[in-house]
Amino acid sequence: MLLAALLIAAAASPKAPPSPTPPYSALVSPTESARYALAHGCLAATRARGRLADSPNHFLVLIDKKRGIYRMAGAGRVTLSDSHLVGPGCYTSVEQGDAEALRAMVLELLAAEGPLRPLTDSQTVSPDGKARFRQELLCVTIAGRPVTAFMSTTDARRRRALQLSLDDQPNTPCARDAESQP
């Protein structure tokens, strides 16, 4: 009897449709792999105010259940996580790829979500002049909510090419800024 009730409840609960199959370009291009992972992973979870595990993503491979860390099956070694140092939200890192192409792709995806406004942009060059580092703090509207995006890009060989954190908690700079607007 209990089993029948559980089966009926599970069948009645709405399930998100599975994400579409990644295009071939996601298998060979770090930028396209990251684009797909962001669009169907972190951005989708942020839109729904959910976690990566809440939506069926057959393209993500769970590598650490306790910390909610997933790896995209594709190029660039793309990793996504619900847990990161900034707090609740979604974190994406791309170990390989062209930093400028990855940055442009992220800005394009964020701008498609809603108004995008930069708060800070710090461009630096390494002491030997061989590597560039860039950290940006951006405000974007996702699903009608202000979201703070922290993006870090670099072309340094032993560093992640892209790191992106999305945070829509009430104490973030963008949320406070939105509250102060008339």
Side-chain angles (χ1 to χ4, degrees):
M1 184 79 159
L2 178 61
L3 179 60
L6 290 174
L7 290 173
I8 291 170
S13 65
K15 293 192 178 199
S19 58
T21 302
Y24 174 74
S25 59
L27 299 175
V28 296
S29 165
T31 301
E32 293 308 309
S33 184
R35 177 188 309 275
Y36 187 86
L38 279 171
H40 299 284
C42 276
L43 285 171
T46 302
R47 261 186 242 110
R49 270 207 162 141
R51 300 179 63 79
L52 291 168
D54 294 340
S55 56
N57 298 312
H58 62 274
F59 62 93
L60 292 178
V61 177
L62 181 64
I63 58 175
D64 187 332
K65 185 174 183 174
K66 184 177 180 182
R67 296 187 299 160
I69 299 174
Y70 296 81
R71 173 141 305 158
M72 167 74 180
R77 294 189 196 152
V78 180
T79 305
L80 297 95
S81 174
D82 289 316
S83 58
H84 53 84
L85 297 176
V86 176
C90 198
Y91 168 79
T92 304
S93 74
V94 183
E95 291 183 31
Q96 301 170 334
D98 179 87
E100 283 304 310
L102 289 164
R103 177 183 176 273
M105 176 273 301
V106 168
L107 292 174
E108 176 188 324
L109 283 177
L110 293 178
E113 291 291 326
L116 180 64
R117 184 172 52 86
L119 289 180
T120 62
D121 186 352
S122 168
Q123 294 186 50
T124 58
V125 176
S126 66
D128 63 6
K130 294 182 179 179
R132 293 180 306 245
F133 299 91
R134 186 173 197 161
Q135 293 184 333
E136 298 172 79
L137 190 60
L138 308 152
C139 290
V140 62
T141 301
I142 299 176
R145 298 184 317 274
V147 175
T148 300
F150 178 75
M151 179 169 48
S152 177
T153 54
T154 183
D155 60 2
R157 289 181 359 158
R158 292 193 175 114
R159 304 278 183 185
R160 291 180 175 111
L162 168 75
Q163 295 183 76
L164 175 70
S165 292
L166 298 175
D167 192 351
D168 68 347
Q169 299 303 307
N171 62 344
T172 63
C174 296
R176 287 191 306 266
D177 188 44
E179 289 174 0
S180 68
Q181 299 292 325

